[in-house]
Amino acid sequence: MRHAARMVCLVAGVACAQIAWAAQPAPDRAAIPGGTFDTIIPPAEKLKVATVQPFQMDRRTVSNADYAGFVGEHPEWRRDRIARVFADASYLKHWQSHTAPGPAIEAQPVTQVSWFAAKAYCEARNARL
């Protein structure tokens, strides 16, 4: 369990997606076609094929600067305020402060966020993981 939690907290970047309602995606998103694929982990005993609906995905990873903007708008996700049920001690520990990553890593993809934090970030952008 601890290993799984650590892996979640060491996410290499947050990727947000939206279900494709419009024919053309926003310029910062790519349209991903839907389809089916064989699954080795079926949700039901006799189901061997999974279907994925078309969706849109961000064209670039979320930077530390992007995530810092989210933290500024949603202070409950600050490193010093987050409930430990939503993130462990490694959450944003590489940032310069509770609210800012520091100039050396601003443009780099955000890392060391929990699944809960990544989900909240995407929801704030009307998207989903």
Side-chain angles (χ1 to χ4, degrees):
M1 178 75 171
R2 182 180 168 143
H3 179 69
R6 182 171 301 276
M7 289 183 64
V8 169
C9 291
L10 297 177
V11 174
V14 177
C16 297
Q18 283 190 320
I19 296 173
W21 298 110
Q24 295 295 322
D28 57 342
R29 295 215 165 121
I32 309 298
T36 59
F37 65 94
D38 293 335
T39 177
I40 61 169
I41 307 173
E45 186 176 326
K46 296 184 180 193
L47 186 63
K48 303 291 184 204
V49 176
T51 301
V52 176
Q53 297 300 314
F55 62 96
Q56 296 177 19
M57 181 183 279
D58 287 355
R59 292 182 181 273
R60 65 177 187 83
T61 59
V62 177
S63 71
N64 282 294
D66 295 331
Y67 196 77
F70 164 74
V71 168
E73 293 170 6
H74 304 275
E76 66 273 21
W77 292 100
R78 284 175 37 162
R79 179 177 69 194
D80 62 334
R81 295 187 182 172
I82 192 164
R84 285 296 158 217
V85 69
F86 296 124
D88 67 16
S90 68
Y91 177 73
L92 300 177
K93 72 177 183 179
H94 62 300
W95 277 23
Q96 182 177 355
S97 72
H98 300 300
T99 58
I105 63 169
E106 282 182 346
Q108 295 175 6
V110 67
T111 60
Q112 298 183 21
V113 299
S114 67
W115 178 86
F116 297 102
K119 185 175 184 292
Y121 175 86
C122 290
E123 286 175 355
R125 297 184 62 223
N126 293 318
R128 65 187 180 112
L129 283 178

